[in-house]
């Protein structure tokens, strides 16, 4: 009941995930504490520095006024003191204004060092616990990609916001008061200038959101085609098959598809900026006219006129900066920041059980599973129990659902209906990393780490260590020998030409992947067609070793070569996503059905190809 509810909630979240942008307040609530926690002192100093700028900007207007008044006095009665004091202040401010940016840059370097890494870590930790099924879903992949784009804007938000409060607003208030006492209508015109800019920011926000939505899918394709062109593993096939030009064409086509909306939105943005600028300059001119009017009608003195006239450009710049740039940036970055924050805050659909399951039975109870963005379920109504210590083989034609079944069995995917239970408890109760602590696996598509031979094996259980002798034994069991010439530095041989190491064959890589699977401490081991690149003699040997090593463990073997499945205690047969048979080899081979059909088809194949492999391996020999 409880699990059904959880599954429904999960599906709902997956299908109707919140996509709206977050409010600036919500973004601040997420970002500010994280920035402060990571660099409290530096952040505080950086946040306070703009107060200095706002004060000096205000003071420089007063100093200008004093300077002009001092000059008038000097002209009238020859007293120079006023001019000298004003010049001394002006000099002091000028020196400080040169030193401040240097100080600020040093602070920024230290800040980035501490805070940027922290936000990256949050993103990677989230990716590590993201449901594996999301990696098969283009929408989820786009969301992840967009989140990483937002990362670069996230940690500058506190400064964008705080500069409003520590620079723009204090300066604005300072000048408003100054102008108010001078001639009140001047203040009014300042407000009027920036009203169009405020509206413009709302539009900017929309433009940025639209653009991000449009280009995110292409950005991933762009990255993919780039990797097919420059990727080390693919260049041979590209050149021999002559598909380099095609891939390059697609790469450039994706680039153009990204450039299209970028150009359109860029032009929209520019048009908007131009309109805003015209409105702002209109206001700027109005302020100047007002100033002349005030001077002509004797509302302000010549010194006041000069001070305001000279600082109006600065004031205009500061206000424009506040509304058009600072608020504009916050608005236009909102879309990408929201993507990041939403992604990092996505709640986990799994429980919090901290003790991994002990070796136990694993039960499928009426399990069905359908991949996102597909119409047909990959598995339907599967029920069976894998007993503790049992070796189970899963067979079926391509697309029958074998790989999907083991992904559900290992907890990698969660079923949409029904339940997979470990000793009676649903697999959803554990975080994936805890559930799989006693599981090892060798998949069809395994990693080829550009690391040493030893590291390539040890990476499956990094906290464990193994003596050279034990490692040697393990490698030999898997058909490898680190003392052979192909590994010039033994266990420490780097398996990558790009890093001054060696290249090894596909078969060797596969053996290394198998050794990696065995190295990890486990009670449950899964082998998903692990021998595709290995010749049949070696394959037979590996399956016998698998049967030996799996004696004490629960083991699942997926294969389409039926010669080796007789080693299993039971065989589960899948057809079009349904479990059609389960039993021992002897039971199934003598019962009319899918297994017998597959067995006969393979016997025929072996006969036709005059297969001369290991005698015990061919189906007809085994009969
Ligand atoms: P098998 O391992 O027996 O070849 P799979 O479990 O890989 O079968 O696939 C079962 C069905 O699910 C197939 O119809 C396949 O097309 C579909 N399928 C597998 N992986 C995905 C995926 N990532 N997205 C969508 N459909 C998938």
């Amino acid at each position: 009941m409880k699990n059904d509810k959880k599954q429904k909630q999960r599906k709902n979240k997956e299908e109707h995930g919140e996509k709206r942008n977050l409010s600036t307040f919500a973004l601040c609530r997420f970002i500010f504490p994280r920035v402060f926690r990571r660099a409290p002192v530096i952040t505080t100093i950086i946040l306070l520095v703009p107060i200095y700028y706002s004060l000096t900007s205000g003071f420089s207007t007063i100093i200008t006024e004093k300077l002009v008044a001092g000059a008038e006095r000097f002209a009238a009665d020859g007293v120079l003191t006023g001019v000298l004091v004003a010049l001394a202040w002006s000099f002091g401010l000028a020196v400080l204004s040169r030193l401040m940016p240097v100080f600020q840059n040093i602070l920024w370097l230290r800040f980035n060092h501490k805070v940027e890494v922290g936000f990256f870590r949050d993103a990677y930790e989230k990716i590590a616990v993201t449901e594996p099924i999301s990696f098969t879903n283009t929408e989820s992949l786009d969301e992840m990609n967009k989140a990483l784009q937002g990362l670069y804007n996230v940690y500058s938000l506190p400064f964008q916001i705080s500069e409003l409060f520590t620079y723009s607003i204090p300066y604005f208030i300072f000048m408003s008061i100054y102008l108010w006492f001078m001639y009140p209508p001047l203040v009014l015109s300042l407000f009027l200038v920036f009203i169009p800019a405020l509206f413009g920011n709302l539009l900017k926000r929309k433009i940025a959101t639209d653009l991000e939505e449009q280009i995110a899918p292409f950005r991933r394709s762009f990255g993919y085609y780039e990797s097919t062109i420059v990727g080390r593993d693919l260049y041979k096939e590209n050149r021999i098959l002559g598909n380099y030009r095609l891939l390059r064409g697609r790469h450039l086509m994706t680039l153009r598809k990204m450039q299209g909306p970028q150009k359109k939105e860029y032009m929209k943005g520019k048009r908007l900026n131009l309109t805003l600028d015209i409105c702002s300059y209109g206001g700027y001119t109005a302020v100047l006219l007002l100033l002349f009017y005030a001077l002509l009608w004797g509302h302000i003195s010549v010194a006041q006129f000069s001070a305001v006239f000279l600082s109006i450009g600065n004031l205009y710049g500061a206000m424009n900066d506040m509304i058009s740039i600072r608020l504009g940036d916050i608005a236009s970055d909102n879309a990408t920041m929201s993507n990041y924050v939403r992604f990092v805050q996505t709640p986990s659909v799994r429980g919090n059980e901290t003790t991994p399951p002990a070796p136990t039975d694993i039960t499928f109870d009426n399990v069905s599973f359908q991949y996102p963005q597909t119409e047909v379920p990959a598995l339907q109504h599967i029920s069976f129990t894998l007993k503790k210590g049992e070796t189970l083989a899963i067979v079926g034609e391509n697309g029958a659902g074998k790989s999907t079944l083991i992904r559900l069995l290992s907890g990698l995917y969660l079923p949409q209906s029904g339940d997979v239970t470990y000793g009676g408890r649903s697999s959803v109760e554990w975080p994936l990393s805890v559930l799989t602590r006693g599981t090892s696996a060798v998949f069809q598509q395994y990693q080829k780490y550009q690391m040493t031979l030893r590291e390539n094996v040890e990476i499956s259980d990094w906290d464990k260590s193994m003596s050279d002798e034990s490692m040697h034994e393990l490698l030999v069991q898997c058909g490898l020998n680190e003392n052979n010439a192909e590994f010039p530095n033994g266990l420490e041989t780097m398996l990558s030409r790009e890093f001054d190491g060696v290249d090894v064959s596909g078969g060797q890589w596969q053996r290394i992947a198998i050794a990696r699977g065995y190295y990890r401490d486990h009670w449950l081991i899964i082998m998903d067609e692990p021998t595709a690149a290995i010749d049949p003699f070696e394959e037979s040997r590996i399956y016998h070793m698998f049967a030996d090593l799996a004696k004490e463990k629960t083991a699942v073997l997926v294969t389409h070569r039926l010669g080796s499945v007789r080693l299993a205690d039971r065989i589960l047969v899948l057809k079009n996503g349904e479990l059609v048979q389960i039993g021992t080899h002897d039971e199934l081979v003598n019962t009319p059905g899918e297994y017998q059909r597959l067995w006969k088809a393979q016997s025929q194949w072996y006969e036709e190809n005059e297969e001369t492999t290991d005698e015990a391996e061919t189906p007809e020999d085994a009969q």
Side-chain angles (χ1 to χ4, degrees):
M1 254 319 263
K2 203 172 138 206
N3 286 328
D4 274 348
K5 203 171 150 203
K6 258 196 162 178
Q7 280 162 3
K8 266 192 197 147
Q9 280 173 350
R10 196 174 64 233
K11 199 161 178 226
N12 210 27
K13 243 177 245 150
E14 275 169 15
E15 284 172 3
H16 309 286
E18 270 277 303
K19 296 269 168 64
R20 276 183 311 119
N21 284 347
L22 300 172
S23 69
T24 306
F25 178 69
L27 288 173
C28 289
R29 227 176 37 193
F30 176 87
I31 297 167
F32 268 74
R34 282 169 173 76
V35 169
F36 268 102
R37 215 175 36 235
R38 283 169 185 147
V41 178
I42 298 173
T43 305
T44 313
I45 301 174
I46 296 182
L47 288 180
L48 293 179
V49 165
I51 292 183
Y52 158 82
Y53 283 112
S54 80
L55 290 179
T56 49
S57 300
F59 276 130
S60 63
T61 308
I62 296 176
I63 291 169
T64 312
E65 186 192 327
K66 297 281 176 229
L67 190 67
V68 178
E72 280 178 329
R73 179 121 188 258
F74 178 65
D77 51 25
V79 178
L80 197 59
T81 331
V83 175
L84 291 179
V85 171
L87 281 178
W89 273 103
S90 177
F91 178 75
L93 284 182
V95 171
L96 269 179
S97 66
R98 293 287 176 282
L99 291 178
M100 224 34 182
V102 178
F103 174 61
Q104 261 183 311
N105 280 343
I106 295 170
L107 286 176
W108 268 108
L109 285 176
R110 293 190 65 114
F111 173 85
N112 281 347
H113 178 70
K114 288 189 165 191
V115 177
E116 186 178 9
V117 171
F119 279 103
F120 262 109
R121 198 178 303 127
D122 284 350
Y124 288 141
E125 274 172 16
K126 191 71 210 173
I127 290 174
V129 296
T130 294
E131 282 302 309
I133 190 69
S134 303
F135 292 86
T136 69
N137 179 351
T138 43
E139 245 177 61
S140 312
L141 289 173
D142 287 341
E143 288 302 312
M144 253 180 265
N145 186 288
K146 286 192 280 185
L148 291 177
Q149 292 295 314
L151 194 146
Y152 296 99
N153 296 326
V154 155
Y155 52 87
S156 61
L157 179 75
F159 305 101
Q160 304 276 24
I161 299 268
S162 68
E163 279 194 21
L164 280 180
F165 292 98
T166 52
Y167 175 70
S168 308
I169 293 176
Y171 181 41
F172 189 77
I173 293 173
F174 187 100
M175 287 307 291
S176 301
I177 295 172
Y178 179 72
L179 292 176
W180 178 268
F181 282 108
M182 197 182 283
Y183 184 49
L186 282 178
V187 181
L188 200 67
S189 52
L190 278 185
F191 281 100
L192 286 174
V193 169
F194 295 103
I195 286 174
L198 271 177
F199 283 110
N201 280 304
L202 295 174
L203 288 172
K204 266 193 182 175
R205 184 174 174 143
K206 192 172 170 321
I207 290 175
T209 313
D210 288 352
L211 179 64
E212 186 56 22
E213 287 299 320
Q214 287 177 63
I215 66 171
F218 297 123
R219 202 164 40 222
R220 257 182 341 97
S221 307
F222 183 72
Y224 167 70
Y225 286 120
E226 188 173 271
S227 71
T228 63
I229 293 168
V230 295
R232 181 174 173 273
D233 294 338
L234 299 164
Y235 78 94
K236 285 177 246 151
E237 185 172 315
N238 288 346
R239 297 302 162 94
I240 298 287
L241 299 185
N243 55 14
Y244 177 79
R245 282 183 53 163
L246 176 100
L247 293 168
R248 192 190 58 190
R250 294 220 167 159
H251 185 230
L252 294 178
M253 191 176 70
T254 325
L255 180 66
R256 274 195 289 274
K257 280 187 179 162
M258 286 203 296
Q259 283 171 336
Q262 268 168 342
K263 201 170 126 199
K264 215 171 98 199
E265 300 296 329
Y266 175 82
M267 290 312 292
K268 250 196 222 171
K270 283 288 156 204
R271 276 199 301 271
L272 184 67
N273 273 347
L274 189 68
T275 317
L276 294 177
D277 282 350
I278 290 171
C279 294
S280 301
Y281 278 113
Y284 179 42
T285 315
V287 177
L288 291 180
L289 287 175
L290 258 174
L291 210 54
F292 276 111
Y293 174 86
L295 181 68
L296 282 180
W297 292 97
H299 296 296
I300 56 175
S301 68
V302 173
Q304 285 172 325
F305 174 85
S306 317
V308 179
F309 184 77
L310 288 177
S311 25
I312 205 87
N314 192 16
L315 182 67
Y316 169 80
M319 293 305 108
N320 193 40
D321 187 57
M322 172 171 98
I323 295 177
S324 300
I325 301 176
R326 223 161 285 293
L327 285 180
D329 278 354
I330 294 171
S332 56
D333 294 344
N334 180 287
T336 59
M337 287 190 285
S338 296
N339 288 330
Y340 175 83
V341 174
R342 228 182 3 236
F343 175 68
V344 175
Q345 287 187 315
T346 315
S348 172
V349 293
R350 306 208 183 213
N352 293 321
E353 179 55 57
T354 48
T355 316
T360 182
D361 292 354
I362 303 175
T363 299
F364 273 58
D365 182 9
N366 200 20
V367 167
S368 297
F369 181 86
Q370 186 166 343
Y371 284 94
Q373 300 167 327
T374 61
E375 299 298 322
V376 185
L379 288 176
Q380 292 191 72
H381 312 299
I382 307 285
S383 294
F384 71 95
T385 294
L386 170 63
K387 301 207 186 72
K388 178 183 152 191
E390 183 180 24
T391 300
L392 178 76
I394 301 175
V395 301
E397 288 183 331
N398 266 347
K402 304 181 293 293
S403 298
T404 309
L405 191 135
I406 55 163
R407 287 174 199 148
L408 285 155
L409 185 128
S410 60
L412 213 52
Y413 295 170
L414 297 170
Q416 276 112 12
S417 72
D419 209 353
V420 177
T421 56
Y422 280 56
R425 293 181 63 183
S426 171
S427 58
V428 78
E429 290 182 34
W430 286 271
L432 183 59
S433 57
V434 180
L435 180 75
T436 55
R437 218 165 272 165
T439 305
S440 195
V442 184
F443 289 108
Q444 281 174 48
Q445 282 156 345
Y446 46 82
Q447 293 273 9
K448 297 174 182 173
Y449 297 100
Q450 301 199 353
M451 299 179 179
T452 65
L453 173 60
R454 179 194 282 282
E455 286 170 333
N456 257 284
V457 175
E458 288 186 345
I459 199 165
S460 65
D461 209 339
W462 203 246
D463 296 331
K464 186 172 134 179
S465 63
M466 193 177 248
S467 68
D468 287 1
E469 293 77 53
S470 307
M471 182 63 82
H472 172 75
E473 269 174 40
L474 173 65
L475 292 180
V476 169
Q477 274 179 325
C478 297
L480 290 161
N481 190 341
E482 79 281 13
N483 299 319
N484 285 352
E486 62 195 320
F487 299 114
N489 291 325
L491 290 172
E492 306 314 321
T493 306
M494 172 57 88
L495 302 187
S496 162
R497 273 225 186 281
E498 281 166 64
F499 293 105
D500 255 357
V502 298
D503 265 338
V504 293
S505 68
Q508 297 293 63
W509 271 119
Q510 200 148 41
R511 291 179 183 93
I512 293 167
I514 293 170
R516 184 185 305 145
Y518 280 120
Y519 178 79
R520 181 174 166 84
D521 279 342
H522 60 271
W523 60 269
L524 167 66
I525 186 158
I526 294 165
M527 294 264 187
D528 184 4
E529 305 250 15
T531 52
I534 291 176
D535 63 67
F537 292 105
E538 181 67 5
E539 182 191 41
S540 164
R541 203 186 65 70
I542 284 185
Y543 280 135
H544 279 92
M545 177 196 78
F546 173 73
D548 268 357
L549 289 173
K551 267 194 188 118
E552 308 294 310
K553 322 262 182 190
T554 308
V556 183
L557 169 68
V558 175
T559 181
H560 65 272
R561 294 198 198 170
L562 299 191
S564 24
V565 302
R566 288 176 310 106
L567 302 167
D569 299 322
R570 278 193 305 165
I571 298 156
L572 185 155
V573 188
L574 287 174
K575 186 174 183 184
N576 299 330
E578 289 180 29
L579 191 166
V580 288
Q581 287 181 299
I582 187 162
T584 63
H585 168 77
D586 291 339
E587 282 165 9
L588 297 183
V589 86
N590 295 314
T591 312
E594 179 69 359
Y595 186 77
Q596 197 182 62
R597 188 182 73 78
L598 290 172
W599 184 264
K600 282 188 178 156
Q602 290 206 5
S603 306
Q604 210 176 344
W605 185 88
Y606 280 118
E607 272 164 19
E608 278 170 10
N609 288 279
E610 295 178 309
E611 181 62 64
T612 53
T613 57
D614 186 349
E615 288 188 353
E617 202 199 347
T618 58
E620 77 279 20
D621 289 337
Q623 272 183 317

